[in-house]
Amino acid sequence: TSEQIEHLHRRFKQLSQDQLTIRKENFDSIPDLEFNPIRGKIVHAFFDKRNLRQESDGLAEEINFEDFLTIMSYFRPIEMNMDEEQLDRFRKEKLKFLFHMYDSDHDGKITLQEYRNVVEELLSGNPHLEKESARSIADGAMMEAASICVGQMGPDQVYEGITFEDFLKMWQGIDIETKMHVRFLNVDTIAHCY
């Protein structure tokens, strides 16, 4: 809505310190991100040209307000008047954004090592979990992904990695539409994001 865009513009100006663009270091001033274990991946996602719908590889050095709106659009809630086709496209856009967070080398596949990196980052805040345990969790999740996506594999087969189509299969039945959002889109909660 125009009201949400106005709030986002104020937030953008605050983050950019009234400049026309935001750089990665501007995200250092967001308290909620400070302790997020995948903070780096989240910030990286804002500058990933794939997420900026520029259809090119690599990272932008800075983003303007239009780019910021593009990224924030991935987090908007579903609209009640959406038909099945719109809901499907909306869901795929959100999942593509998440997929890009995992696919750090931009090759269109989430490899075991990329998956391990994310799991290790997510579990890094747990002092009782050793790195080897995190790797085992990631390995088990990758095996489960392989069984979901390619079925029973032979002993000599190697699962190369999760493609976007595989990623869609894995998220089937999970309500990503309402889980992937940000708080400062609401008027009442904008004060909590300073």
Side-chain angles (χ1 to χ4, degrees), residues 115 119 136-146 162 170:
Y115 200 78
V119 171
S136 294
I137 291 168
D139 292 355
M142 188 59 101
M143 291 291 288
E144 185 176 337
I162 301 168
M170 293 167 58

Side-chain angles (χ1 to χ4, degrees), residues 88-151:
D88 187 54
R89 187 172 57 247
F90 185 74
R91 178 180 175 77
K92 283 181 180 171
E93 283 179 8
K94 285 182 179 278
L95 289 172
K96 190 68 127 171
F97 182 87
L98 284 178
F99 182 82
H100 291 158
M101 285 180 66
Y102 284 86
D103 179 24
S104 58
D105 66 1
H106 302 225
D107 70 349
K109 265 190 301 212
I110 301 168
T111 63
L112 176 58
Q113 190 54 52
E114 287 170 325
Y115 200 78
R116 279 179 178 160
N117 292 344
V118 172
V119 171
E120 286 173 6
E121 285 177 27
L122 283 170
L123 299 176
S124 65
N126 186 337
H128 305 292
L129 197 63
E130 294 176 14
K131 194 170 187 166
E132 204 50 49
S133 298
R135 296 185 130 233
S136 294
I137 291 168
D139 292 355
M142 188 59 101
M143 291 291 288
E144 185 176 337
S147 69
I148 290 169
C149 300
V150 294

Side-chain angles (χ1 to χ4, degrees), residues 20-184:
L20 295 176
T21 60
I22 292 178
R23 301 181 68 79
K24 285 183 183 176
E25 53 270 13
N26 293 115
F27 284 83
D28 293 340
S29 65
I30 303 175
D32 286 348
L33 269 181
E34 187 178 349
F35 300 108
N36 191 313
I38 59 168
R39 176 193 181 285
K41 290 208 177 299
I42 293 168
V43 172
H44 185 91
F46 272 79
F47 296 87
D48 188 328
K49 289 183 179 180
R50 298 171 299 177
N51 294 335
L52 294 169
R53 299 185 181 128
Q54 296 177 359
E55 296 190 33
S56 60
D57 203 14
L59 295 175
E61 290 294 316
E62 52 192 24
I63 59 171
N64 60 27
F65 180 62
E66 188 177 322
D67 296 331
F68 185 73
L69 280 181
T70 297
I71 296 298
M72 296 309 296
S73 72
Y74 292 104
F75 298 95
R76 72 187 188 280
I78 59 172
E79 297 167 23
M80 292 304 137
N81 62 347
M82 287 181 164
D83 62 28
E84 282 301 314
E85 187 178 315
Q86 290 170 318
L87 278 171
D88 187 54
R89 187 172 57 247
F90 185 74
R91 178 180 175 77
K92 283 181 180 171
E93 283 179 8
K94 285 182 179 278
L95 289 172
K96 190 68 127 171
F97 182 87
L98 284 178
F99 182 82
H100 291 158
M101 285 180 66
Y102 284 86
D103 179 24
S104 58
D105 66 1
H106 302 225
D107 70 349
K109 265 190 301 212
I110 301 168
T111 63
L112 176 58
Q113 190 54 52
E114 287 170 325
Y115 200 78
R116 279 179 178 160
N117 292 344
V118 172
V119 171
E120 286 173 6
E121 285 177 27
L122 283 170
L123 299 176
S124 65
N126 186 337
H128 305 292
L129 197 63
E130 294 176 14
K131 194 170 187 166
E132 204 50 49
S133 298
R135 296 185 130 233
S136 294
I137 291 168
D139 292 355
M142 188 59 101
M143 291 291 288
E144 185 176 337
S147 69
I148 290 169
C149 300
V150 294
Q152 192 64 33
M153 292 176 30
D156 57 338
Q157 281 183 291
V158 176
Y159 186 55
E160 296 293 325
I162 301 168
T163 64
F164 183 61
E165 289 71 32
D166 293 344
F167 200 69
L168 289 175
K169 287 179 195 174
M170 293 167 58
W171 282 85
Q172 201 166 15
I174 298 172
D175 184 18
I176 189 68
E177 295 85 354
T178 58
K179 294 185 186 330
M180 190 173 153
H181 65 281
V182 277
R183 286 184 295 170
F184 63 81

